[in-house]
Amino acid sequence: MRGNRDHPYTRGALCVKVNRYLEQVRSADRILHPLKRVGPKGSGRFERISLDQALSEIAARLTSIVEEHGGEAIWPYQGTGTLGYVQGESGQAGRRFWNALGASRHDLNICARAGNDGLRYVNGTPGGMDPETFALSRLILLWGTNTLTSGHHLWKFVQDARAAGAYVVAIDPIRTRTADQADEHLPIRPGTDAALALGLLHVVLEEGAEDRAYIEEHTTGWDEFEAEIRRHPPALVAEITGLPEERIRALGVRLAHTRPTGIRATMGIQRHAGGGAAMRVIACIPGVTGDWRYPGGGVAYSTSGYAPTGPDPRDDLLPHPVRTLTMTRLADGLDESVKCLWVYAANPLGSTSDQNRIRAALAREDLFTVVMEQFPTDTVDYADYVLPATMQIEHLDVHHGYGHMYMVWNEPAVEPPGECLPTTETFRRLARLMGLTEPSLYDSDLELAEQTLAQTGISVEEIRKEGWARLRVADPFVPFTEGFPTPSGRLEFASEKAEAAGLPRVAGYVPSLTARTAPADRPHPLVMITPAAHTFLNTQFANNPELRKRSKGPRVLVNPADAESRGLVDGQAARVFNGNGEFRAYVEVSDRVAPGVVAAPKGHWPKLSAGANPNALVDERDADMGRGPVYHDNFVDVAPLSEEELEPLV
């Protein structure tokens, strides 16, 4: 397997994770046949059964649950393990089947919801810049994003811009590998990004560099937002963010006088109690500077706003309105009213907040749990039945990368091994066994792909021949030239929709929990953030022996001052803890994090890491918008392990 050098965005590059994909497909721990639980929940003890037996028994149990408790007793817990329009989240795979049963609706909000909502209040869409146009930027702000780990294809365009004289700034609480390569790194205090954005705009106003013509012609609510900016002078913002005032002023001057400025902000920036507000304020910057006028100007968060919606999920099949259960509230949501949890493309016990409460909920004997999976994850250990799922090279799919402007065709390259089934085929077979007669439940994978592509103007023949096709947008693409998809048709510094939702009418700073809590009031003294690991994709690939080796085991970065006061030394095993629980990790003493901040990369499977990972400490608490998670907004402490507690962590 290799990258295709003809692809305009990837140019043939593969990341460290995907480079080992064929090895992963053929892994010795791949689940190839259905499994039925024979031991206690959590023991991971199963017996192999035939596919026919598994599907028949599962279909009978689903029928019984619907008849006895109603369809809403089923929670179809879908994740982002695949984003395909046929097999995955983008097309809401399985939604027609669940609608026909009257199952509860699943709110898949774990990844980007708070930021999406913040952007919609300003621009009407989470869509923004075409990332390829960063090659035309002259100032690039990589804001809360570790590009070289979590989206390295963009770096080629950043390099193109630098070759033409662009200046690159990384704004991140951690001095990441991306920050190492930037021209400047601003180590901001976690959860204070909106304040910095307002402080930079304050300098723009001081410089008289706001684009008054753009503001007048294309925005609304300027007077209110200008007043908010004026309330955040650099001296105050320095106190809030922990950044020197002179550096805030210097970047503000650079922002004021550099066109075009491109801002790349991704999902990590909005995983705290003020995350939606942070993206909302950042989205206002090009409205003040007029950067939306230019190729290479604006904000890039996700290009999913330009993507098709996928096959019709057929909500009309619901027999009556149903409740919605929120993905990031799994521990709270798994009460006695949920009789069946169906997990697919997800590993909530490794990836979701409040790990210990989720573990306790999954241990309920009366909870019927089915997991469709490729590997024996921690979540699989709590399943009653495990159904083997195909991997990318084994099924048909259509993808839209939320970081570029192309639709991608995924042709199956090999037959599925063992009894592995595509997600779609599993639901088709269950529908037949349950006697469901709705014709759309039996649409083929090709028909589902055609239904998706019909929304784009791209034919199956075209995309199948080349492997990809650019969305029908200009090249270079400058968004919002015909107006904004907001109620006013303009960029909205002030939003009536936000006000109606109980949010501030005007974009502004909403501090994270950790940023607004005085040191004396903190239950634990350190702020923990959980960045992406370089070797894993969430918990995917975390069972790969070579990638686990490269990760050097679970780690926690601790500033030298915090390490010294706790008797911690580099490389020693320690416990990281708070009121929710604890996990164990090797200490990496490093000035890559500021005093008072620790960073514990996510992705390690709990059962391969002494029983827990950082999510054991993360609160099951909502961000300000979209009920997004708060992975970067938690108080913890770190202590050495005693001699009696020492044991291998991996």
Side-chain angles (χ1 to χ4, degrees):
M1 187 178 71
R2 61 183 182 273
N4 191 325
R5 294 184 178 183
D6 294 331
H7 193 282
Y9 190 68
T10 69
R11 301 182 190 175
L14 297 177
C15 67
V16 65
K17 308 121 173 145
V18 177
N19 257 326
R20 310 195 77 86
Y21 197 78
L22 293 187
E23 178 183 299
Q24 190 78 350
V25 167
R26 300 184 177 96
S27 176
D29 62 344
R30 176 88 185 266
I31 297 172
L32 300 177
H33 302 279
L35 303 173
K36 182 177 182 179
R37 179 168 66 91
V38 295
K41 287 198 170 187
S43 67
R45 289 168 50 197
F46 299 96
E47 65 177 359
R48 175 180 164 181
I49 60 175
S50 72
L51 184 60
D52 287 343
Q53 179 186 347
L55 293 177
S56 295
E57 292 180 3
I58 291 169
R61 187 69 178 271
L62 287 176
T63 299
S64 173
I65 289 171
V66 172
E67 290 176 348
E68 184 175 352
H69 304 284
E72 285 181 283
I74 301 170
W75 187 347
Y77 194 96
Q78 182 180 22
T80 57
T82 175
L83 298 175
Y85 282 97
V86 177
Q87 309 297 343
E89 179 269 340
S90 295
Q92 304 176 73
R95 174 88 168 261
R96 294 178 182 179
F97 174 75
W98 300 121
N99 283 341
L101 297 185
S104 292
R105 179 161 292 175
H106 175 61
D107 182 17
L108 204 158
N109 69 328
I110 200 166
C111 185
R113 180 67 60 75
N116 280 346
D117 285 3
L119 285 161
R120 285 192 179 97
Y121 287 129
V122 178
N123 296 335
T125 172
M129 292 173 62
D130 177 352
E132 291 180 57
T133 64
F134 274 98
L136 305 174
S137 304
R138 290 301 166 262
L139 173 62
I140 297 176
L141 305 184
L142 299 174
W143 205 322
T145 182
N146 184 6
T147 303
L148 288 172
T149 284
S150 301
H152 69 99
H153 297 302
L154 180 69
W155 194 252
K156 295 182 287 293
F157 301 97
V158 173
Q159 288 177 310
D160 291 343
R162 293 179 91 172
Y167 190 79
V168 179
V169 181
I171 303 171
D172 199 302
I174 308 172
R175 194 176 77 246
T176 62
R177 61 181 64 214
T178 301
D180 283 340
Q181 297 298 318
D183 296 301
E184 183 178 359
H185 170 223
L186 293 181
I188 191 171
R189 185 171 290 146
T192 64
D193 304 276
L196 176 59
L198 291 166
L200 295 176
L201 288 175
H202 195 285
V203 178
V204 171
L205 296 186
E206 290 176 355
E207 294 287 304
E210 69 272 22
D211 189 331
R212 287 284 175 174
Y214 190 87
I215 291 169
E216 178 67 26
E217 295 169 13
H218 300 287
T219 76
T220 185
W222 168 244
D223 290 344
E224 297 169 85
F225 186 56
E226 181 182 11
E228 184 69 17
I229 294 171
R230 298 287 186 188
R231 285 191 282 269
H232 290 81
L236 173 62
V237 170
E239 293 178 13
I240 294 171
T241 63
L243 298 170
E245 180 182 350
E246 59 271 20
R247 295 193 66 188
I248 296 171
R249 287 192 173 277
L251 182 57
V253 170
R254 193 181 290 275
L255 172 64
H257 300 293
T258 309
R259 305 275 77 75
T261 289
I263 303 172
R264 173 65 165 170
T266 51
M267 289 68 207
I269 200 173
Q270 45 92 66
R271 289 178 177 154
H272 61 80
M279 278 309 308
R280 187 179 175 190
V281 177
I282 289 170
C284 291
I285 292 176
V288 178
T289 60
D291 272 296
W292 285 126
R293 295 181 185 276
Y294 315 107
V299 176
Y301 177 69
S302 170
T303 57
S304 59
Y306 304 118
T309 58
D312 184 352
R314 294 298 308 276
D315 289 344
D316 60 299
L317 298 178
L318 284 166
H320 52 74
V322 297
R323 65 180 176 176
T324 296
L325 297 171
T326 302
M327 184 178 197
T328 53
R329 287 291 192 145
L330 181 58
D332 279 349
L334 273 181
D335 59 21
E336 296 298 321
S337 69
V338 179
K339 302 301 181 183
C340 171
L341 180 71
W342 190 292
V343 180
Y344 57 122
N347 180 19
L349 196 45
S351 297
T352 307
S353 309
D354 215 341
Q355 190 171 92
N356 291 326
R357 288 180 62 222
I358 292 174
R359 191 184 300 276
L362 290 176
R364 277 175 40 203
E365 279 296 330
D366 67 321
L367 178 67
F368 179 57
T369 302
V370 179
V371 179
M372 300 164 69
E373 248 297 353
Q374 300 151 353
F375 298 101
T377 66
D378 289 82
T379 305
V380 161
D381 288 346
Y382 286 83
D384 293 290
Y385 289 86
V386 184
L387 296 176
T390 49
M391 295 182 70
Q392 204 68 39
I393 63 173
E394 300 157 0
H395 57 230
L396 185 146
D397 217 331
V398 178
H399 290 266
H400 171 255
Y402 54 82
H404 59 66
M405 303 295 288
Y406 298 87
M407 298 295 293
V408 181
W409 182 262
N410 188 92
E411 187 80 20
V414 297
E415 289 295 318
E419 295 176 279
C420 296
L421 290 180
T423 299
T424 46
E425 181 59 21
T426 296
F427 289 124
R428 283 190 288 260
R429 294 192 188 190
L430 283 169
R432 290 190 186 95
L433 287 168
M434 296 180 73
L436 302 178
T437 58
E438 163 57 39
S440 68
L441 300 179
Y442 303 100
D443 283 356
S444 69
D445 290 356
L446 184 58
E447 287 172 323
L448 294 170
E450 290 171 337
Q451 292 163 24
T452 297
L453 290 170
Q455 303 167 38
T456 68
I458 300 167
S459 69
V460 169
E461 292 73 24
E462 174 189 353
I463 194 172
R464 207 168 194 172
K465 178 181 179 182
E466 297 296 334
W468 65 84
R470 184 173 172 86
L471 292 169
R472 301 310 196 212
V473 296
D475 189 7
F477 175 54
V478 179
F480 313 128
T481 55
E482 304 299 322
F484 291 80
T486 57
S488 66
R490 292 167 169 249
L491 183 147
E492 297 190 349
F493 296 123
S495 167
E496 292 182 1
K497 286 185 68 175
E499 188 175 31
L503 296 167
R505 171 181 168 82
V506 182
Y509 171 47
V510 175
S512 66
L513 173 67
T514 55
R516 69 173 180 259
T517 306
D521 297 328
R522 296 180 174 186
H524 296 87
L526 302 175
V527 176
M528 181 183 74
I529 55 180
T530 60
H534 192 69
T535 49
F536 309 144
L537 179 59
N538 300 317
T539 62
Q540 292 187 74
F541 304 103
N543 60 322
N544 183 283
E546 178 59 27
L547 293 179
R548 288 178 62 210
K549 179 180 177 181
R550 292 189 188 186
S551 77
K552 300 179 182 178
R555 294 175 299 122
V556 57
L557 276 69
V558 183
N559 183 270
D562 294 322
E564 183 178 7
S565 66
R566 289 164 174 76
L568 299 168
V569 297
D570 193 69
Q572 88 175 104
R575 56 188 289 261
V576 188
F577 62 94
N578 64 14
N580 295 329
E582 69 172 57
F583 70 95
R584 299 183 177 191
Y586 295 111
V587 172
E588 183 176 327
V589 179
S590 174
D591 63 359
R592 290 186 175 275
V593 291
V597 177
V598 296
K602 65 180 178 177
H604 285 279
W605 288 11
K607 68 181 182 180
L608 300 181
S609 309
N613 68 18
N615 288 329
L617 280 60
V618 175
D619 294 336
E620 191 173 71
R621 174 167 46 86
D622 296 341
D624 55 336
M625 298 179 192
R627 306 196 74 181
V630 293
Y631 292 112
H632 305 322
D633 194 14
N634 298 275
F635 291 116
V636 305
D637 209 343
V638 186
L641 289 175
S642 67
E643 290 294 328
E644 293 76 23
E645 295 173 308
L646 288 176
E647 59 182 85
L649 301 187
V650 292

